[in-house]
Amino acid sequence: MRHRIVVLGAGYAGAYVAGNLARRLSRKDVKITVVNAVPDFVQRMRLHQLAAGGDIEAPTLAGVFAGTGIELRLARVTAIDPERRIVTMADADSVAGGGGELGYDTLVYALGSRGDDGSVPGAAEHAFDVAARPSALRLRERLDSLDRRGGGGNVVVVGDGLTGIESATEITEARPGLSVTLVARHELGARLSAGARRYLRRACDRLGVTVVEHTSVEAVEATRVRFADGTTLPSDATVWTAGFALSPIAAAGGLQVTGKGQIVVDRTMRSVSHPDVYAIGDSVHAIGDNGRPLPMSCASAGYTGRQAIEAIVGRLTGRRIAHTKLVHTYNHISLGRRNAILQTVDDQGQAKPKYQGGRQPSRVQAAIHRTALWATSHPTYGLPKRRHRLATAPPYTTAEKSHA
């Protein structure tokens, strides 16, 4: 049988890796299967725009992988057994027949992260998040209903990380009839340089975003948010962006993970406990070239994905494994559709004094979004046409010979 490569998840990291492996490895020796719970590619970097009312492209994965030889399985991953090299799946919500078991020889784990709404009472029941397309669409429906009501409404965004800032400013700009409050545990933009913090504050003032700083949320209720000091804030729609959580599947399967569930890997993205497993994107605890863990980001997905590709191709074909860059050099923060901050960081992950704000970084960020979408929609474009054979070609079954 051919060497079976299974990729779990078709986000930025998973789709990119699957397409690259399909172009670089011979179909005579390798079979690549991608397992994903939804039929479309989700532009996660732009889900706050979708929630605010924007139109976001969502190309079908069947179209993305057309002509690549990749098999797509629409199913939810429920468990992995790395000792038996088995993935267990359940039917996706919209597709029957996706469940069952799937064997692998090499597994690429790219299930990513989700909104962490389990740490505060009521957040899971009453809050919305923008970490997945269905939840972003539910928030959009709620905001639509508030607009239709005609009397405005109160939107409370909890969390002042990049997602919280982008969500608050995007909603305020797109829906000026709503009152938006951003709740920050620390100072607004605490991880930015002093100049960038001042720029961010001025941008929030211009848009009309109310900022509540140095405040912890104790509970989320149906019509209000309750703070640790006992005060409350009325809310018709609470947006929860206070962190991300990892799927428990890796830990439950016995892979070595960190305390928050990221898979521990070596420099080539290979699991330190199970060498047949590679992890990429938000799912991986990868140490960057500066000796610090890479942050969860689209850029990190690209860097860890490229390293995993080199490692898998190198090991399967007997070639030298190149070490690609693993760096974190900047943060891009959108402040609505025509404004943004580009904040560079040093080797320690700390903000450098210099930053750029305004229309130009907004254009750059929009170009990054377009490039990421195009590259994902054309996963084999520009790659070498010559596909490598495995170092030791596995024997074919009779059925496979007839299709080779």
Side-chain angles (χ1 to χ4, degrees), residues 145-177:
S145 70
L146 294 178
D147 278 341
R148 287 194 298 268
R149 197 170 66 181
N154 297 311
V155 178
V156 177
V157 180
V158 181
D160 64 330
L162 305 189
T163 304
I165 293 170
E166 292 186 332
S167 298
T169 53
E170 187 78 25
I171 292 171
T172 305
E173 182 180 81
R175 300 174 182 268

Side-chain angles (χ1 to χ4, degrees), residues 15 63 118 131 147 166 168 180 190 197 219 240 254 259 268 337 359 380 385:
D147 278 341
E166 292 186 332
V180 179
R197 287 198 300 273
W240 193 261
T268 67
R337 304 306 294 271
R359 189 65 183 268
T380 62
K385 293 183 178 180

Side-chain angles (χ1 to χ4, degrees), residues 98-167:
E101 291 187 341
L102 182 64
Y104 67 83
D105 299 301
T106 296
L107 182 70
V108 181
Y109 190 104
L111 291 179
S113 61
R114 55 178 173 79
D116 184 7
D117 57 10
S119 57
V120 171
E125 294 81 6
H126 302 300
F128 302 86
D129 70 65
V130 292
R133 183 178 174 84
S135 55
L137 287 174
R138 287 194 295 271
L139 173 58
R140 179 179 179 141
E141 291 173 2
R142 179 60 174 159
L143 298 178
D144 285 343
S145 70
L146 294 178
D147 278 341
R148 287 194 298 268
R149 197 170 66 181
N154 297 311
V155 178
V156 177
V157 180
V158 181
D160 64 330
L162 305 189
T163 304
I165 293 170
E166 292 186 332
S167 298

Side-chain angles (χ1 to χ4, degrees), residues 44-379:
R44 183 168 177 177
M45 290 189 296
R46 300 186 63 192
L47 286 179
H48 63 287
Q49 297 174 357
L50 178 68
D55 294 324
I56 308 302
E57 292 182 70
T60 65
L61 291 174
V64 167
F65 296 135
T68 64
I70 295 170
E71 178 186 354
L72 176 64
R73 292 285 296 272
L74 295 177
R76 292 183 296 106
V77 177
T78 57
I80 59 173
D81 183 345
E83 305 303 329
R84 296 170 54 223
R85 293 189 295 189
I86 292 291
V87 175
T88 303
M89 304 169 294
D91 291 345
D93 293 339
S94 59
V95 178
E101 291 187 341
L102 182 64
Y104 67 83
D105 299 301
T106 296
L107 182 70
V108 181
Y109 190 104
L111 291 179
S113 61
R114 55 178 173 79
D116 184 7
D117 57 10
S119 57
V120 171
E125 294 81 6
H126 302 300
F128 302 86
D129 70 65
V130 292
R133 183 178 174 84
S135 55
L137 287 174
R138 287 194 295 271
L139 173 58
R140 179 179 179 141
E141 291 173 2
R142 179 60 174 159
L143 298 178
D144 285 343
S145 70
L146 294 178
D147 278 341
R148 287 194 298 268
R149 197 170 66 181
N154 297 311
V155 178
V156 177
V157 180
V158 181
D160 64 330
L162 305 189
T163 304
I165 293 170
E166 292 186 332
S167 298
T169 53
E170 187 78 25
I171 292 171
T172 305
E173 182 180 81
R175 300 174 182 268
L178 301 179
S179 175
V180 179
T181 299
L182 176 60
V183 179
R185 180 183 290 272
H186 306 291
E187 180 185 2
L188 177 65
R191 288 175 289 182
L192 301 176
S193 64
R197 287 198 300 273
R198 290 191 295 270
Y199 187 91
L200 171 60
R201 191 174 297 277
R202 290 195 299 269
C204 288
D205 289 342
R206 285 195 302 270
L207 289 168
V209 177
T210 300
V211 178
V212 178
E213 298 175 287
H214 307 290
T215 302
S216 297
V217 173
E218 187 174 76
V220 177
E221 301 174 5
T223 59
R224 64 180 186 174
V225 173
R226 181 154 44 88
F227 300 125
D229 62 3
T231 60
T232 62
L233 186 66
S235 178
D236 298 297
T238 301
V239 185
W240 193 261
T241 68
F244 297 96
L246 280 295
S247 167
I249 289 174
L255 294 171
Q256 184 174 334
V257 299
T258 64
K260 61 182 179 181
Q262 288 181 304
I263 298 173
V264 181
V265 297
D266 63 15
R267 180 57 174 75
T268 67
M269 304 302 115
R270 195 183 201 183
S271 166
V272 298
S273 61
H274 294 81
D276 298 322
V277 178
Y278 292 80
I280 56 177
D282 287 355
S283 303
V284 67
H285 179 73
I287 303 301
D289 295 338
N290 62 357
R292 301 170 60 87
L294 291 177
M296 293 183 182
S297 69
C298 183
S300 296
Y303 288 125
T304 57
R306 281 193 286 274
Q307 181 58 81
I309 292 165
E310 293 299 328
I312 293 170
V313 171
R315 290 194 173 103
L316 292 184
T317 62
R319 286 169 167 75
R320 182 183 67 86
I321 298 174
H323 279 189
T324 62
K325 291 193 302 182
L326 296 176
V327 296
H328 173 220
T329 56
Y330 64 87
N331 289 315
H332 246 126
I333 311 170
S334 68
L335 307 174
R337 304 306 294 271
R338 295 175 294 276
N339 195 7
I341 293 174
L342 172 61
Q343 175 68 72
T344 56
V345 299
D346 61 22
D347 288 343
Q348 299 303 308
Q350 301 299 312
K352 292 182 178 180
K354 190 175 181 179
Y355 77 97
Q356 186 177 4
R359 189 65 183 268
Q360 181 58 29
S362 179
R363 292 192 184 100
V364 171
Q365 188 176 40
I368 291 172
H369 291 166
R370 290 193 300 270
T371 301
L373 175 62
W374 194 93
T376 302
S377 301
H378 303 78

